[in-house]
Amino acid sequence: MIIMAVESSCDETAVAIVRDGREVMSNEVYSQADMHALYGGVVPEIASRNHIIVISKLADSAVKKAGIKKSDIDAVAVTYAPGLIGALLVGVNFAKAAAMSLGVPLIPVHHVKGHIAANYIAYPDLEPPFVCLAISGGNTLIANVKSYTEVEIIGTTRDDAAGECFDKAARVLGLPYPGGLPMDKLSQGGDDSAYKLPHAKIEGHPYDMSFSGLKTAVVNLVHNAEQKGEELDRPGLAASFARAVSETLVPRTISAAKDLGYDKIAVAGGVAANSRIRADFEKVAASENIKLYIPPLKYCGDNAAMIGCQGYYDYLTGKTAESDLNAYATMAISEKM
């Protein structure tokens, strides 16, 4: 089964051609990061307008690079929630038009489920059940992946997402947007014990997280140093920050897997590209005899291949939509359409 998949939940426009859920025939991504860097974050209206400009050409390119004809497409999958509503609507309406013109089924896909599915592409041997940590600019959650389509959230952030926290820390340090990669580079060689940063715990909820206190602590450290004319150990602060985030994420994910009796965990989302988090997961998973799955960098960020993969498994359960499909800015991963 050949699926054309569309992703436009934030500031990446992406179209992919995926065969039988696991084989990526093409995966086109157009990033607007440089455009939004001027404003220090994503401007929703600019994102939506640029999706409109590039999405059709991107789809044509994806079909051409896959070496197929449009008539070979068996279904169209699209991210319909969650995300920036204007951006999502561009992708959803394009996908509806494509499915209607091709006379094929339309498959609505939850964005976070797509991130989890990126691991299926990278690891053909991976099958549920397992625990997955999904970490991005908009989401931070620990999921019990019971099957390809049944996912239960067992832990989540009570406030900021880990990726948002990286962006805010980078901004106060004068680093460009998006902040994940610049923070990672700055932290290399830095002393991760240079600054003592908070590690929040939610009483009675061992898998839940909070990052607002960590974000505030970094902002206050930088502002206080500036006001007092003190020199700031920028690499040390970046390294200390990465350590604090990792020490929030890794133990909770490992504990969740052990408590559920699973011997495998997966990590997904843009923050999964962080070198400290990846290294800590590799070290702890090896010591606990747990199999670790982290997708390559090209599948950590938003892409359409992951949507095509998840769309395939959703389709096998009979999940399709009609031409009245709408987009939703927020939607629980377990919520039924």
Side-chain angles (χ1 to χ4, degrees), residues 130-154:
F130 57 89
V131 162
C132 184
L133 170 69
I135 39 177
S136 65
N139 300 279
T140 298
L141 54 88
I142 299 173
N144 177 6
V145 184
K146 298 179 178 180
S147 72
Y148 288 112
T149 57
E150 186 181 2
V151 180
E152 177 190 7
I153 303 305
I154 57 177

Side-chain angles (χ1 to χ4, degrees), residues 23 49 51 109 164 187 195 209 263 321 325:
E23 179 190 349
R49 288 178 178 178
H51 287 314
V109 177
E164 179 189 357
S187 70
Y195 294 92
M209 297 155 275
D263 66 350
L325 175 68

